[in-house]
């Protein structure tokens, strides 16, 4: 059974950094692609960043200069490094993976940016 488990969220101040982790049960290579999404209160879920099995990445325009998506294949873990956080980055962040058996989501981790 495939499971994605996020961690690393929390309460930070504007300008701070956080690194989110997404631990994959099984092999990370089983996924065609993986990504991070976020959903702020009252808003639709939106793409943050996406990485394919080849390693190519895509970022949302508002985040591409501040966020970095990466994978550690040996640890079966995907990361999202977030720098220069802003209050508008406050949201629940979700890990997503797509493989031949379906589209999988983690339970989400809350990130709150506030002074």
């Amino acid at each position: 059974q495939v499971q994605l488990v996020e961690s690393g969220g929390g309460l930070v101040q504007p300008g701070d950094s956080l690194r989110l982790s997404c631990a994959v049960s099984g092999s990370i290579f089983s996924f065609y692609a993986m990504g991070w999404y976020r959903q702020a209160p009252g808003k639709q879920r939106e793409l943050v960043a996406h990485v394919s099995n080849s390693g190519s990445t895509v970022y949302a325009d508002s985040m591409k200069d501040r966020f970095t998506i990466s994978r550690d294949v040996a640890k079966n873990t995907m990361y999202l490094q977030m720098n220069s956080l802003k209050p508008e980055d406050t949201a629940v962040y979700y890990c997503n993976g797509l493989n031949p058996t379906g589209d999988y989501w983690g339970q989400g981790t809350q990130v709150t940016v506030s002074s």
Side-chain angles (χ1 to χ4, degrees):
Q1 183 179 357
V2 175
Q3 285 189 317
L4 306 178
V5 180
E6 303 98 334
S7 61
L11 172 63
V12 297
Q13 295 187 337
D16 284 352
S17 297
L18 269 179
R19 188 177 78 160
L20 305 182
S21 298
C22 173
V24 178
S25 64
S27 172
I28 203 167
F29 280 124
S30 72
F31 294 99
Y32 299 136
M34 297 191 71
W36 288 97
Y37 291 75
R38 71 183 186 184
Q39 188 166 18
K43 295 188 177 180
Q44 289 188 331
R45 191 172 296 189
E46 63 175 347
L47 173 70
V48 175
H50 171 277
V51 58
S52 71
N53 244 356
S54 67
S56 62
T57 57
V58 173
Y59 292 91
D61 284 345
S62 64
M63 294 165 252
K64 62 183 178 181
D65 294 329
R66 300 183 294 122
F67 293 5
T68 303
I69 190 171
S70 64
R71 299 177 302 169
D72 185 329
V73 173
K75 295 183 178 179
N76 284 319
T77 302
M78 179 176 67
Y79 301 100
L80 183 68
Q81 178 67 42
M82 305 186 294
N83 299 326
S84 302
L85 283 162
K86 305 175 182 180
E88 51 263 44
D89 294 318
T90 294
V92 178
Y93 285 71
Y94 297 91
C95 171
N96 170 260
L98 178 65
N99 76 9
T101 64
D103 192 11
Y104 295 90
W105 293 89
Q107 82 287 351
T109 185
Q110 176 71 46
V111 172
T112 302
V113 185
S114 175
S115 56

